[in-house]
């Protein structure tokens, strides 16, 4: 969109438009599930595009380039930054139902993409991690839980004023939108060119740009509060993927709360710092069985109260024995091959190996040296790192350590994570406590918390805008008061 972007939302197929006082929770849990189309759809190529089958009754609203949205066609679609589920501000009626759409200032790429595009600078990513904890502490301090805290819901903000750029500058930054044709698949697996009217004829690849382009700040933006809830009214359902979900969120009917948020935060911190999730498979959607196996390797046998749901979980694929269900010293998911026993006290090496593991990267030595220089530049000036793309098949494959080059630094991160990865929710560290952890010592040395140089500029600008707004509101209030006083005086006179 010109200056702004919309986040697509599942349609409202059968409930009335919520009032301004409706709770977020009721909006999330009461809406019906999308239904399937009669045909199966497939894009000509997969990449940075969504599944076209999400465009169905009760599903995504079809958006194409040039569409005008909002009251009187206020917003025009010129590019696409991604797709999502929840939003606010104005409604759109389309072939797949009514959609509540969110309009917000432009944001940069999500943390989820950082490791896919370039080798991260350690100090920059640690600064991002501090902001993640700071954001979580802010939410909890104000009685809120995010409920879906993960890398895909963390973005980097653009510099102030970027959302006022003309359309030509936005296209120059993101590049011309790339489209991918959509086809229906017939019963024999061939293309069926008749597409239903509720499905777009093409998808738009999500735009991206270089962090070092001069448009992006170092400040994060936490998004997607569709699953957020108040601390004093927690849900019993956890919608976050298994590999980021706390044990009580997967295997319990207990009400979740801030400890579940902290668990997801810890998973996000490890991914941000190292490019690896702590539990399950990084490349695929992990089953509860695989996730809990890693949990037990780290923390020892899972509590007995969680085991019945594990044994009845469809994705587990096997049942627990009577001993596994009733013996608190026996692991529920695996048997250690070296001893033949199923008892295990836990081993921090599960996380340590993900922090210090060596991995192969296709950068040349010159490219890798450039990354190190950019990290030094970030520390001194706050200038964001540029993409350093691998040379590809012609590049030199070299073994290199994870982004945490310093062993002491890695051990400090391990200590931080172990303060959260605990079976019992009440034993987990709070976000406020994490802010004082030694791993963040250098981050706290910045003026204004974790913000780097560019971030502080943006923050100061925001503060100036806030002050101006408050002054305007005060003046308006005084004006209204004076007018009201004179009106009352003239009426009484």
């Amino acid at each position: 969109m010109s200056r702004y972007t919309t986040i697509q939302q599942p349609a409202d197929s059968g409930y009335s438009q919520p009032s301004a006082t409706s709770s977020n929770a009721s909006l999330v849990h009461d809406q019906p599930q999308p239904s399937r189309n009669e045909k199966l759809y497939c894009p000509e190529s997969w990449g940075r595009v969504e599944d076209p089958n999400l465009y169905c009754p009760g599903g995504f609203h079809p958006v194409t380039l040039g569409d005008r949205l909002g009251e009187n066609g206020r917003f025009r679609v010129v590019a696409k930054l991604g797709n999502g589920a929840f939003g606010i501000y104005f409604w759109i009626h389309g072939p797949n139902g009514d959609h509540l759409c969110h309009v917000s200032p432009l944001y940069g790429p999500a943390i989820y993409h950082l490791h896919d595009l370039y080798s991260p600078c350690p100090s920059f990513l640690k600064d991002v991690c501090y902001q993640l904890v700071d954001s979580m502490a802010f939410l909890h301090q104000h009685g809120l839980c995010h409920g879906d805290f993960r890398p895909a819901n963390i973005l980097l903000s653009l510099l102030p004023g970027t959302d006022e750029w003309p359309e030509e500058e936005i296209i120059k930054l993101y590049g011309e939108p790339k489209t991918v044709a959509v086809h229906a698949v017939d019963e024999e697996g061939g293309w069926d060119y008749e597409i239903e009217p509720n499905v777009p004829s093409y998808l738009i690849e999500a735009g991206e740009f270089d962090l070092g382009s001069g448009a992006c700040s170092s400040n994060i933006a936490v998004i997607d509060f569709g699953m957020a809830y108040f601390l004093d009214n927690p849900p019993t359902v956890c919608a976050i993927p298994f590999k980021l979900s706390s044990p009580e969120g997967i295997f319990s009917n207990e009400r979740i709360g801030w400890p579940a948020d902290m668990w997801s935060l810890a998973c996000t911190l490890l991914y941000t710092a190292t490019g690896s999730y702590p539990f399950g498979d990084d490349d695929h959607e992990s089953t509860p069985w695989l996730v809990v196996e890693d949990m037990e390797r780290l923390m020892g046998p899972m509590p007995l109260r969680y085991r019945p749901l594990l044994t009845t979980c469809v994705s587990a694929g096997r049942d627990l024995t009577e001993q596994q269900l009733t013996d608190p010293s026996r692991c529920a998911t695996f048997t250690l091959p070296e001893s033949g026993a199923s008892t295990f006290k836990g081993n921090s090496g599960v996380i340590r190996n993900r922090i210090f593991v060596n991995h192969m990267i296709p950068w040349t030595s010159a490219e890798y040296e450039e990354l190190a220089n950019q990290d030094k530049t970030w520390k001194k000036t706050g200038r964001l790192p540029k993409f350093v793309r691998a040379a590809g098949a012609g590049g030199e494959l070299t073994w290199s350590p994870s982004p945490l080059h310093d062993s002491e630094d890695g051990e400090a991160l391990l200590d931080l994570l172990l303060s959260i990865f605990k079976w019992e929710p009440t034993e987990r560290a709070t976000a406020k406590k994490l802010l004082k952890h030694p791993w963040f010592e250098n981050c706290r040395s910045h003026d204004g918390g974790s913000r780097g140089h560019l971030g502080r500029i943006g923050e100061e600008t925001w503060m100036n805008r806030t002050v101006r707004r408050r002054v305007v509101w005060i003046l308006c209030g005084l004006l209204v008061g004076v007018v009201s006083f004179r009106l009352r005086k003239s009426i009484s006179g």
Side-chain angles (χ1 to χ4, degrees):
M1 304 208 136
S2 178
R3 302 184 185 176
Y4 294 92
T5 180
T6 58
I7 298 178
Q8 300 165 343
Q9 151 132 355
D12 166 24
S13 303
Y15 64 95
S16 60
Q17 179 172 335
S19 66
T21 57
S22 296
S23 68
N24 219 12
S26 64
L27 178 64
V28 173
H29 299 297
D30 293 345
Q31 63 182 353
Q33 293 296 319
S35 57
R36 293 179 179 274
N37 290 317
E38 294 183 0
K39 295 182 178 181
L40 180 67
Y41 294 93
C42 181
E44 283 192 349
S45 63
W46 290 97
R48 296 175 59 82
V49 296
E50 67 276 19
D51 184 350
N53 295 288
L54 296 173
Y55 294 92
C56 59
F60 282 176
H61 175 74
V63 176
T64 55
L65 295 172
D67 284 356
R68 290 192 174 273
L69 309 175
E71 186 176 358
N72 299 321
R74 177 183 178 186
F75 304 103
R76 188 168 72 87
V77 178
V78 299
K80 183 175 182 179
L81 306 185
N83 60 87
F86 298 100
I88 53 175
Y89 291 8
F90 67 86
W91 288 80
I92 294 178
H93 178 72
N96 293 322
D98 294 327
H99 303 255
L100 188 59
C101 295
H102 175 79
V103 181
S104 62
L106 288 171
Y107 292 106
I111 288 176
Y112 180 81
H113 302 302
L114 294 185
H115 296 280
D116 298 333
L117 297 174
Y118 70 101
S119 178
C121 296
S123 59
F124 167 64
L125 290 183
K126 183 185 288 190
D127 186 85
V128 171
C129 286
Y130 185 88
Q131 293 184 62
L132 293 174
V133 179
D134 194 26
S135 299
M136 183 71 77
F138 178 85
L139 289 174
H140 292 177
Q141 179 185 352
H142 288 80
L144 293 171
C145 280
H146 188 276
D148 194 15
F149 203 90
R150 48 174 156 161
N153 288 334
I154 310 297
L155 309 184
L156 291 175
S157 302
L158 298 184
L159 288 173
T162 310
D163 57 343
E164 299 295 332
W165 284 5
E167 182 178 315
E168 296 75 17
E169 291 297 321
I170 294 177
I171 296 299
K172 184 178 179 181
L173 176 66
Y174 283 95
E176 291 290 338
K178 298 178 181 179
T179 61
V180 177
V182 174
H183 298 290
V185 181
D186 59 27
E187 296 180 355
E188 298 179 356
W191 293 135
D192 180 352
Y193 293 95
E194 293 186 6
I195 297 179
E196 296 170 83
N198 65 313
V199 178
S201 60
Y202 64 86
L203 304 177
I204 310 167
E205 289 191 3
E208 63 179 9
F209 65 91
D210 197 320
L211 291 182
S213 64
C216 194
S217 78
S218 61
N219 289 338
I220 69 167
V222 181
I223 65 167
D224 199 347
F225 285 79
M227 297 304 297
Y229 56 89
F230 292 106
L231 281 168
D232 58 0
N233 186 29
T236 57
V237 178
C238 184
I240 203 164
F242 288 127
K243 59 186 176 185
L244 291 104
S245 178
S246 63
E248 68 271 19
I250 306 176
F251 302 108
S252 173
N253 292 323
E254 304 171 3
R255 289 191 175 275
I256 58 176
W258 67 263
D261 249 11
M262 292 303 299
W263 185 283
S264 301
L265 170 64
C267 295
T268 301
L269 290 175
L270 181 61
Y271 184 85
T272 303
T274 69
S276 178
Y277 288 108
F279 310 109
D281 192 333
D282 285 332
D283 299 325
H284 303 89
E285 185 62 35
S286 297
T287 65
W289 195 273
L290 293 176
V291 169
V292 177
E293 185 172 72
D294 281 341
M295 289 181 180
E296 287 197 315
R297 291 184 187 277
L298 174 67
M299 301 179 292
M302 70 184 302
L304 295 180
R305 67 180 185 277
Y306 294 150
R307 301 190 185 196
L309 278 180
L310 173 63
T311 194
T312 58
C313 185
V314 175
S315 60
R318 50 179 169 169
D319 293 332
L320 301 185
T321 65
E322 185 65 26
Q323 283 185 313
Q324 287 174 316
L325 278 171
T326 58
D327 187 351
S329 67
R330 182 180 292 270
C331 287
T333 58
F334 68 97
T335 299
L336 293 180
E338 60 270 20
S339 64
S342 333
T343 56
F344 191 53
K345 295 182 179 179
N347 188 342
S348 62
V350 174
I351 302 298
R352 180 180 282 105
N353 291 341
R354 303 202 181 211
I355 293 176
F356 292 105
V357 67
N358 289 345
H359 52 95
M360 188 173 286
I361 56 175
W363 282 283
T364 63
S365 56
E367 290 169 336
Y368 198 73
E369 183 178 354
E370 181 181 348
L371 291 168
N373 291 332
Q374 287 197 45
D375 191 48
K376 295 178 182 177
T377 301
W378 157 256
K379 291 179 179 179
K380 293 181 179 179
T381 67
R383 186 184 305 163
L384 270 66
K386 295 182 179 180
F387 290 163
V388 177
R389 297 186 181 276
E396 174 188 350
L397 289 176
T398 59
W399 286 98
S400 69
S402 68
L404 296 167
H405 300 289
D406 189 297
S407 60
E408 183 178 349
D409 192 62
E411 291 293 340
L413 174 59
L414 174 64
D415 180 76
L416 181 150
L417 296 174
L418 292 180
S419 70
I420 301 175
F421 291 139
K422 298 179 181 296
W423 287 117
E424 296 301 329
T426 56
E427 295 179 1
R428 296 172 200 157
T430 63
K432 184 177 180 180
K433 183 177 180 180
L434 289 192
L435 290 174
K436 300 177 181 179
H437 194 277
W439 194 60
F440 290 127
E441 182 176 0
N442 293 331
C443 297
R444 291 193 299 273
S445 65
H446 289 308
D447 292 334
S450 66
R451 307 300 191 264
H453 177 67
L454 295 177
R456 290 198 299 274
I457 293 176
E459 188 173 274
E460 290 167 2
T461 304
W462 178 85
M463 287 296 294
N464 292 336
R465 289 179 179 177
T466 302
V467 171
R468 288 198 300 269
R469 290 194 188 104
R470 289 177 178 174
V471 171
V472 170
W473 278 109
I474 292 173
L475 292 176
C476 288
L478 290 174
L479 178 62
V480 171
V482 171
V483 172
S484 299
F485 174 77
R486 290 189 175 181
L487 283 174
R488 289 196 302 271
K489 187 175 182 180
S490 62
I491 292 174
S492 62

